[in-house]
Amino acid sequence: MSPEFSRTLVLAHVPAGGQALRLEADDAERAALARRFGLLALHALNAELRLSPGPEGRVQVEGALRAEVEQACVVSLEPVRQRLEEAVAWRLLELVDRVKTET
């Protein structure tokens, strides 16, 4: 399965002073996520993030993830629309390929 909403970030390219990053899912990404999670619709999905470089190539990410979802009421099956907002705090580590060799 390929991820429905993903972006590549080269950690080494995050400037020393940090950077702001806004991510927004397009129509196709939102439709794929709605199917995956059994939603009637995913009207919006975005993130406002602040990236800050840390030691050993790590990057600290802080910000908020926001979505507007529509799902069926569990009782009446009528559509229910709701806005969600969640604070995020992640630490990203550089992906390094390691090859084990035998001697």
Side-chain angles (χ1 to χ4, degrees):
M1 173 191 282
S2 63
E4 296 90 345
F5 179 50
S6 96
R7 303 294 186 268
T8 300
L9 173 66
V10 179
L11 300 183
H13 293 171
V14 175
Q19 80 181 72
L21 181 63
R22 178 174 170 75
L23 304 175
E24 187 153 359
D26 64 25
D27 292 342
E29 291 166 328
R30 290 193 318 272
L33 286 165
R35 280 191 301 277
R36 180 186 204 204
F37 295 119
L39 300 170
L40 298 176
L42 180 56
H43 298 287
L45 176 62
N46 63 67
E48 298 280 344
L49 306 171
R50 178 75 189 161
L51 310 177
S52 303
E56 300 177 16
R58 296 182 178 121
V59 172
Q60 183 68 32
V61 180
E62 295 179 342
L65 180 67
R66 296 178 187 89
E68 189 170 330
V69 302
E70 189 170 333
Q71 57 190 10
C73 173
V74 296
V75 175
S76 68
L77 299 181
E78 291 294 317
V80 176
R81 199 163 172 158
Q82 183 176 7
R83 290 184 181 180
L84 307 169
E85 183 170 341
E86 187 67 30
V88 296
W90 302 317
R91 184 175 30 192
L92 304 179
L93 308 175
E94 188 174 7
L95 179 62
V96 177
D97 290 329
R98 296 196 178 149
V99 177
K100 183 177 181 181
T101 58
E102 295 184 26
T103 56

